[in-house]
Amino acid sequence: MTTPSNPSDKESSVTHDSTSEAGDDRALVSLEHREGSDNLPERFQDPGLPAHIHRAGDSDEAAARRYERQVAALFAISMFATVLFVVSYFAVGNDTVVSLPIIGRTMALHVSLGVTLGMSLLCIGLGAIHWAKTLMPDTEVVEERHELRSPDEAREGAVKILADGLEGSQLKRRPLIKYTLGGALGLFAIPLGLQLVGSLGPLPHTDLETTLWDSKLPGGKPRRLMRDPDGTAIRLSDVTLGSVFHVLPEGIDATPDPNNEKLKAAVILISLQENLIKSARERKWGVDGVVAYSKICTHVGCPVGLYEQTTHHLLCPCHQSTFDLTEDCKVIFGPAKRALPQLKISVDDEGYLVADHGFDQPVGPSFWERA
Amino acid sequence: MSSLAARRRHPAALVIVLLFGLIVTGGLYAALAPKNADAATSSSSDIAAGKQLFLSNCATCHGVNATGGNEAPDLVGVGAAAVDFQVGTGRMPLAAPGIQAEADTNGPQFDNKQISQLAAYVASLGPGPGIPASDLTSGGGDIAKGGELFRVNCAMCHNFAGSGGALTRGKFAPSLMDVSGKHMYEAMETGPQSMPVFNNTNMSPTDKKDIISFLQNTKDEPNQGGANLGNLGPVPEGLFVWTIGIGLLIGAAVWLGRKAA
């Protein structure tokens, strides 16, 4: 810092500022660059470290003994809390419920174990810090830094050791060893990488493009729409106006991996007034205003389940992507980029809703090489 | 017939007719009064009283014939359940136009008798769902099944613990923690406002009973892990950790770094 630090100079500048409101020209004067006066020292002295302030315990033996007792008391509280932890582990019942302020009704065992363990650990920490702050030496210590570079003789010596080693290994004279060693070390990387890449699981093949709706039942019949989780079939007459059914394909529990199938095949079945539907395709693929859409969000695959009966909006709970059910589930808000795929449904000869064929596009979020 | 007509002026005739009337009235009362739940057995006087209440409190929006208006829906065929839910939770009469009708924290504006009269009048306009029987709404169902049904059908809006959640444009699904079983049942049955309909062809009365039992159990369950911060999920929990949790850590770090003297 080389700003003028002459006290008298500073003083005058302050008084000047305080009167500067009198006129604009005077205020301008104070903004001008001002040369420092000549009585600056040639060199500023290193102020050094601030004076060391002694603590009470450094000079007063009685105070030091008091600190000792305080630290010991903290450690003793920790021991007491640990004993309480063990006692409450055995003494407090598994089902005992206590009412606490703010928290409300909660498990007595969890509270007692948590509080005693916390007290035990906290008092060890507090005791150690109090000990270090009041009794351990607190004098400032200077540690000089050394040059990191080794002396030249040591550096040359190290290079010579390496060169001698290379010469002694005869790698230069016997290239066969050099190349076979390189090959052996290089190939050794393969087993390490192979278990990583090879254990990534089976290739997806067409798993991402197809759902259980694409396949028929063993008898060749189309799959019915079944209530989740009951697994009961749905009649068209069951779906009254404003109703929402959460649907899975018939026979999903008979597949080898039902959970994987549910991830893709979940469908939401909604009934709305047919004249509200603006998309002709949507009307055609539904039955009397009852339409079925994939429940898997096209953003990152959350289940799109929030249906607002009054606005006909279908909302994803994860990132608020909103789909308009009257316009073929077009995205009207949020991060999703594609409309939800529709499932073409019809009524079979027994009056139950069935899926005519699978979705016409992959369900769920985008993936590599999605058509 | 002629002999009956001939004796109509007999001194005992008045007594016999009175007795007959009393027996019929008493018998009918005994037959109909106990099942006060579903049947609602609204007498014509209830319907008339309900109509008066309707005309003075509801007709401005819903029309004098309850066939709806610009903003208000047609009430023909909504049934007693819809009235009992909307008026019984204080949602109707609507306090002020807003994004959605909210339950009145001060309770309903009418007493139970007036609500049942209004319900009787609206139910008389067209067949609709009635008020559920109390054995379906007071718990005692299969809690595990109810939890599964709740997570599939309800949790996306009402939160995994029934604490409620946000919908679009300021609308929200309310918390279910302080809602009576009867009102939950009626809401599922009728689908008020943004809520879809879960009537008996979608979800059987036993299913609804299971869901109500699950929610009543959830409410009574003690918090396993201490303060639940409203069971609202990651946002309040993150907020708590980022403000109070990190604040405490900074305080501890400042204290550790200070000199004792």
Side-chain angles (χ1 to χ4, degrees):
Chain A
M1 295 289 258
T2 55
T3 48
S5 61
N6 188 324
S8 65
D9 200 16
K10 218 173 188 175
E11 194 72 28
S12 67
S13 116
V14 168
T15 49
H16 192 94
D17 271 29
S18 66
T19 55
S20 66
E21 287 168 355
D24 282 351
D25 50 348
R26 292 195 67 185
L28 280 173
V29 172
S30 73
L31 290 174
E32 279 173 9
H33 178 69
R34 291 156 65 102
E35 289 294 330
S37 44
D38 295 335
N39 54 3
L40 280 174
E42 191 65 33
R43 206 182 136 78
F44 285 99
Q45 286 296 312
D46 179 2
L49 294 167
H52 181 75
I53 303 165
H54 283 281
R55 301 165 299 182
D58 291 337
S59 47
D60 182 358
E61 187 53 31
R65 274 201 299 277
R66 195 169 67 240
Y67 291 139
E68 182 189 356
R69 282 196 299 274
Q70 287 169 352
V71 172
L74 283 167
F75 289 150
I77 295 173
S78 167
M79 283 190 273
F80 179 64
T82 308
V83 171
L84 270 186
F85 177 91
V86 176
V87 169
S88 53
Y89 181 84
F90 291 105
V92 182
N94 262 341
D95 304 324
T96 318
V97 172
V98 286
S99 278
L100 296 174
I102 301 172
I103 295 172
R105 295 175 70 248
T106 188
M107 307 303 289
L109 182 62
H110 298 175
V111 172
S112 55
L113 291 185
V115 169
T116 51
L117 194 64
M119 283 298 290
S120 170
L121 204 55
L122 183 71
C123 287
I124 293 175
L126 289 177
I129 300 293
H130 194 54
W131 177 17
K133 283 191 166 197
T134 54
L135 292 172
M136 288 188 193
D138 72 335
T139 44
E140 292 79 7
V141 179
V142 177
E143 283 182 14
E144 298 292 344
R145 273 197 261 169
H146 307 284
E147 195 177 3
L148 291 172
R149 195 179 194 278
S150 304
D152 284 345
E153 308 89 77
R155 294 163 67 89
E156 279 161 18
V159 171
K160 189 168 181 308
I161 290 169
L162 282 177
D164 286 353
L166 189 66
E167 190 61 32
S169 69
Q170 305 184 2
L171 271 184
K172 280 185 180 164
R173 280 197 293 139
R174 305 187 193 283
L176 189 61
I177 293 180
K178 185 163 80 180
Y179 293 128
T180 48
L181 175 65
L185 288 178
L187 281 185
F188 191 72
I190 291 180
L192 302 178
L194 182 68
Q195 17 175 352
L196 275 179
V197 178
S199 307
L200 289 176
L203 287 172
H205 300 293
T206 59
D207 274 8
L208 292 171
E209 281 94 4
T210 57
T211 67
L212 196 58
W213 297 108
D214 288 305
S215 62
K216 304 279 182 202
L217 283 173
K221 287 209 274 185
R223 292 185 190 267
R224 282 177 177 162
L225 278 69
M226 311 294 260
R227 287 181 183 86
D228 179 19
D230 287 349
T232 48
I234 303 162
R235 289 178 189 278
L236 177 62
S237 56
D238 290 345
V239 192
T240 48
L241 193 64
S243 285
V244 165
F245 287 68
H246 297 269
V247 169
L248 290 174
E250 184 177 8
I252 195 160
D253 288 326
T255 56
D257 194 351
N259 280 342
N260 262 355
E261 298 298 339
K262 283 178 191 177
L263 282 177
K264 299 185 291 174
V267 156
I268 190 162
L269 180 76
I270 296 171
S271 165
L272 65 164
Q273 279 162 316
E274 195 171 17
N275 56 14
L276 288 175
I277 301 177
K278 294 171 195 154
S279 153
R281 212 283 313 272
E282 182 181 350
R283 266 199 302 274
K284 213 173 107 213
W285 280 25
V287 184
D288 301 339
V290 175
V291 289
Y293 278 89
S294 165
K295 211 167 98 175
I296 314 300
C297 186
T298 55
H299 175 220
V300 286
C302 288
V304 185
L306 287 78
Y307 176 61
E308 289 182 1
Q309 197 207 142
T310 41
T311 55
H312 310 293
H313 290 170
L314 199 52
L315 177 66
C316 180
C318 291
H319 306 102
Q320 283 70 48
S321 291
T322 309
F323 304 89
D324 191 344
L325 211 68
T326 63
E327 289 191 70
D328 201 19
C329 275
K330 186 181 83 170
V331 183
I332 54 170
F333 181 79
K337 287 284 175 286
R338 284 190 308 277
L340 294 173
Q342 189 178 6
L343 184 70
K344 185 175 189 304
I345 54 169
S346 59
V347 182
D348 69 5
D349 43 16
E350 288 177 64
Y352 291 109
L353 291 170
V354 293
D356 291 354
H357 51 72
F359 296 103
D360 63 346
Q361 55 179 305
V363 299
S366 300
F367 52 87
W368 199 12
E369 293 176 347
R370 184 187 191 275
Chain B
M1 199 66 207
S2 58
S3 62
L4 259 181
R7 288 173 193 172
R8 72 186 187 278
R9 297 202 189 280
H10 191 274
L14 186 65
V15 179
I16 288 168
V17 168
L18 259 176
L19 266 178
F20 181 71
L22 280 171
I23 287 166
V24 168
T25 315
L28 275 176
Y29 181 78
L32 298 174
K35 42 174 187 174
N36 53 351
D38 213 328
T41 52
S42 40
S43 67
S44 55
S45 67
D46 274 350
I47 294 174
K51 183 167 190 179
Q52 282 310 310
L53 281 169
F54 184 88
L55 288 175
S56 50
N57 292 289
C58 321
T60 320
C61 302
H62 288 286
V64 283
N65 296 320
T67 48
N70 287 338
E71 296 291 322
D74 185 355
L75 297 184
V76 176
V78 300
V83 180
D84 192 65
F85 174 80
Q86 300 281 4
V87 184
T89 58
R91 284 177 167 80
M92 292 287 150
L94 197 60
I99 197 80
Q100 74 181 41
E102 291 177 36
D104 195 336
T105 46
N106 300 325
Q109 296 188 21
F110 301 100
D111 60 28
N112 287 340
K113 185 162 175 286
Q114 288 170 318
I115 293 170
S116 64
Q117 285 168 342
L118 265 174
Y121 168 65
V122 172
S124 74
L125 300 172
I131 296 166
S134 63
D135 63 312
L136 291 172
T137 60
S138 45
D142 182 343
I143 295 168
K145 175 83 187 300
E148 199 177 356
L149 286 163
F150 183 84
R151 285 186 291 276
V152 169
N153 291 287
C154 325
M156 60 287 280
C157 297
H158 286 288
N159 168 304
F160 64 97
S163 315
L167 298 174
T168 61
R169 301 179 190 190
K171 297 190 286 293
F172 63 94
S175 165
L176 303 176
M177 285 300 97
D178 294 315
V179 181
S180 73
K182 184 177 75 160
H183 289 149
M184 285 190 231
Y185 192 102
E186 288 164 348
M188 287 188 260
E189 180 96 56
T190 59
Q193 301 179 39
S194 294
M195 179 165 162
V197 180
F198 296 95
N199 57 20
N200 290 346
T201 61
N202 186 347
M203 202 183 266
S204 72
T206 326
D207 287 347
K208 293 193 185 73
K209 178 180 176 173
D210 292 345
I211 289 178
I212 291 166
S213 309
F214 165 75
L215 284 166
Q216 287 172 344
N217 180 67
T218 304
K219 190 188 171 190
D220 293 340
E221 232 174 20
N223 302 318
Q224 296 287 339
N228 59 24
L229 302 177
N231 271 337
L232 289 172
V235 172
E237 286 162 20
L239 198 67
F240 181 83
V241 168
W242 280 91
T243 53
I244 295 176
I246 293 185
L248 281 173
L249 287 181
I250 291 173
V254 168
W255 175 68
L256 280 175
R258 277 179 60 184
K259 286 176 79 103

